[in-house]
Structure formats: C-alpha cells, structure tokens
Amino acid sequence: MPTPRTHTWPADPETRGLWSALAALVIFLFPADIYAAVRNMSAPGSGTDLYFTTVIPLAGSGQPVQGRGFKIGVSPLTLVASVENTGIPPNCLTTCVSAAYDLFHTEASQDGRMVAYSGRRDCRDNSCGRLLLSATTVAGLPQSVSAGGFGRMSRNGRYLRTYQRTAISTLSGLETVDLGAGTTTRIVFAGTAASAPNGRVVANDGSFAMADGAKLRLFRLDREAEGTPTHTRRFVANAVINAAGDLVAYQVCCSPSELRIFRPNTGTDDVLLTGEGIYKDPAISEDGTTVAYLAAARPGGSGPDGQFQLHFLSTADGVPIPVTSFEQGIEQFTLSDDGRVAWFLTGSGGLYRATLRTQQIEQVLASVSSRITVSDLAVPGSAFWVLGSGLSSDVRFKIAGFEAPLITRKGATSILVQAPWDLPTGPASVEMILDSPFAPPPSRVEVRSYAASFATSAIHDNWRGGASPSDPAFPGELVHFYMTGLGPVDPPMKTGQPAPASPFSRVTTPLQCKNAEVVYAGLAPGSLGFYQVGLRIPADATSSLLVECSGTSISVSVRPRLLRATAPPIRQ
C-alpha cells in the first residue's frame, strides 16, 4: 500500500507548476463573465471629484447589474446618473436583455457644470443590438442635449464629439455638436478609429484625436487634419489631446513600446518615452506639460513583476517619476485637468487619489469589486473557483449561507475556496462579503454530492514531476493524481480543516476506474479541498493510456513496453 504524499497545497515546489497550469486553464474557460469593476474614470478641473461608472449595484439597493454613474470626492459617494430597467420591449423581434439605458462613460466639463453621460440599450422598438444603440445625454445646460452615439466632451464644455459603430471596429456617423450654438457638424469618415477610454480626447477648439490601426488621426471641427503620423507595421492607440489642441500624446505598440508626442501645428512627431518596459494609457494635462501613464516591466525582462504601476513625466524633460508600487498593480487611472492629481483603481479593487508632485496617496474606497462568476458545480468538501476582478485580500465567500474557506488566490482575479462539507445538494447562491459600499449580486452554483474531476495530470511515483511525452510513465508504475468531487470521507472532516496524514481520510464512495487499478483514494494529506488518488498503470499499457474514472477521464503518457527493463522499482 503506497503512502499518500503529505504536503501543503500549493506551496509544495513539486506541485506549484501544476497549480499554475490549473489556474491558467480555469481563467481560459471562464473569461466572458468577468466584469470590470469600474468602466471609466474622469477627474475634471483640479481633481477634487471623481466621476466613474460601474455595473455593480450599491449594497442593499436590490438593483440589477447595470451601468450607473457615480461621483466621489469632496462629498461622499453619490449616485449621479441611473436609468433603471424597464423590461423587455414587446416589439423586439430578437432576444433582448432589457431596454435599460446602460451607462458606461461619464465625462464632466472642467468646471464640473456639465456632464456627458454615454450609454446603450439592448433594444429600442424593433431594433436590437447594442453596437447601434449608443446615446449620450449632456446635463447641466438650460435644456438637456441628447445625441446618438458614444460622446466625448471638451474640457470647456463647448463641444461634444459623437460616433457610432456599425461593426466591432468600423465607425459611422462622426459628428461635432456645438453645445453653445446648438449646431451639429457631420464628418464623412470610414475607418476603424477608436478613442482612448482614459484621458481627454477633445480639445477646447473641438479638435478630436483618435487611433486607427497604424495611423494617428486628428479631426478638426469640419475636416480631418492632414500630415498625422503613420507607423508602418505597428499599432497606434489611446491618443489624448491638450486643451489648446496643439499637443497629442499617444502610444505605439510594441517593439519597442513607446509614448510619443505629436504637434499638429509644426507636424513634428517625437518619442516621449521608450525602453525595455511596456507603456500604455497616457493622459495629458490641459496645458500639455504633464503626461501620466501606466508602465510595467516587459515579460522576462528586468524590473518589477510585470504589474502596471502609475508614472508621470514632464513633457519638457521627459524624466519618468514613479507614483505607485502596489503588489496587485494598477487597473486604470485618470489625470485631473490641471495635471496635479491622479485617481486610480488597484488590482485588488481599492480606489485611491494621489497628489503627483508630493507623492501623497490617500485611499478613498476600500474596494470596488466586480461581479463574480463560479464553476458550474460544487461538491461539499472540494475546492472550486470564484472568478472576478478587484478581489481584495479581505474578501470572504458564503455558499448557501455557509462560510467557504479560502484555499489560495491567483492575483486579484481568481480565488480557490472550499465548498463547505455541510452544504445541502441543489441550487445554491455564492455571495461575496467585503467592506465596500457596492455589493456584487450573488452567483449561482449547483451543489452535488459527487462529481469526480481530475485537477492535475499524472504525477510520477517518486514525485519527480508530471508524466509527459518527454518523461512518460512506465507500464506497471503507480502514478498519482489530485482530484475534486469524490464526496464524503471516513473519518469525516470539518470545513476548513486540512486533511490528516494519520489516519488517512478515505473516500466512502468507491472510485471506479477503467484501464487502471485504484490503489488509494482519499483526501490529500495536508491539503484543503483536494483528493489524492493513486492508480497503477497496467503492465501491458503502451503509448497513451486513457483512464476513465467515475464519469471523468484523462490521458496518461506511457513508455513503450519494450523499454520496461529500464524502469525503476515500484515503491510500495
């Protein structure tokens, strides 16, 4: 009888690589339902207030997941824009989620008097499809102005630039609304241009900066400017502009990564910053003297661990000055119009305000977390994943009201928890508990008493590593697996209690496997939420062996039998 391996998951060096592979697989399988905590941020004027939108409802509000606009700063957190769900339109001919006006962007004038709210609906009358139904409303005028398309406003509140998309990237209907005169000018344009989500893109004279593949585009009031730079075989992104419209900062990807400055009046296009790192999301002050941006070490290069951190520099000397060094990095930021203050959201969901020149940083909200999504199934006692973004270090989870202990975490996007042993079978809610004014709605999971699943590939008998085509298992070798979902054990365990090494806690429901003998099946000693299974490879196995166990299967690389004489002795 083999002795189950005693270890602490996943700190054991021999299993750390397997844990990383498992985490990568889970993130690949469940990316679509991860919602960004904050969609955009805008800090007009001196940056005393921050405007932002989020799909996460306020705690206790009972509201659905839907984009709303908020403001925080001098005054406490305030809801400033929200259009509630009105139900599915009766005339909609295709599937619609709702007729709600889902706000995804807010932008205030420099004096804070006017605010442009952009959003979209799933359906309107018989028209369905979010790409065609964006709209912008400008509040703060004697009479509110509404315009079709995604709108961006100038710092002085004079001009609103709007555009629609007819496909994922193709633009249609580029318009300039003069909010003072009440006139609209349309520019005929066909391209794939996109405006930067962070920073100002409309100057006080109505000039509008956009990126279009390898080309920087600059639109004046009634025409497209000539002489803008093109970077062959490279990509331009996130173009921002100063108040006067005579300075455009933008990024170029990727070898090397660059921040550049274009001066339309002279036609000069200069490198502002380049090097071994990755530089992105520039924002420029109204006078053009300060550019803030996110920077990270290039993968495999020297420097920090690859997390993006906030930096700024003066366009006069180009000397980078770091602002943050958060372990989970910076998700996004915005720069005040005067260039003195930056607001930013960390990878763990914290919202902060920084005074750039003095390097003073103040936390404003402990967490602005995203909607969570979970694996489809949970089995009492077993590990399962909770995914999201901005998952802070103090987050907790409850399943059907039972506390679910945290096993480990991968950054701020995925957390492995143990399903409590006392869970009843059937549908259950998964709630996130954290110190935040926002409360992500619960996710749903199906609890089953048994659902076998392999968590790792085969591991050699002597634990030297995984059985692979380059290092296959031998016929007759005992190989190990970690699994989940094997149900009750004897002796029984308490939730949150690591499995003992003595006595072993074995499964009470026999694991039935084809093409392999089950030598041991029970909780992995020292671990939480995982079972350890020992299977003996048949003596006549060749090449790739498909092992099927209680409704789940896995392939094991096996060395051809003719080399059996070189096999090491089987450990008993």
Side-chain angles (χ1 to χ4, degrees), residues 20 37 51 69 75 77 174 203 222 273 281 332 335 338 486 557-558:
S20 300
Y51 291 82
S75 57
L77 181 68
L174 185 60
D222 56 354
L273 183 65
D281 299 345
Q332 62 173 293
L335 181 68
D338 64 9
L486 300 187
S557 296
V558 181

Side-chain angles (χ1 to χ4, degrees), residues 482-524:
Y482 289 101
M483 297 186 70
T484 59
L486 300 187
V489 293
D490 184 36
M493 301 297 299
K494 293 182 179 179
T495 299
Q497 179 182 354
S502 178
F504 301 135
S505 192
R506 303 174 186 273
V507 297
T508 58
T509 303
L511 182 66
Q512 304 292 335
C513 293
K514 296 180 181 179
N515 299 332
E517 175 193 358
V518 179
V519 180
Y520 172 81
L523 293 178

Side-chain angles (χ1 to χ4, degrees), residues 344-357:
F344 60 88
L345 186 77
T346 66
S348 59
L351 183 64
Y352 293 79
R353 177 173 50 205
T355 303
L356 297 186
R357 301 295 174 181

Side-chain angles (χ1 to χ4, degrees), residues 192-209:
T192 58
S195 62
N198 171 60
R200 298 283 191 173
V201 299
V202 183
N204 284 345
D205 63 359
S207 298
F208 186 23

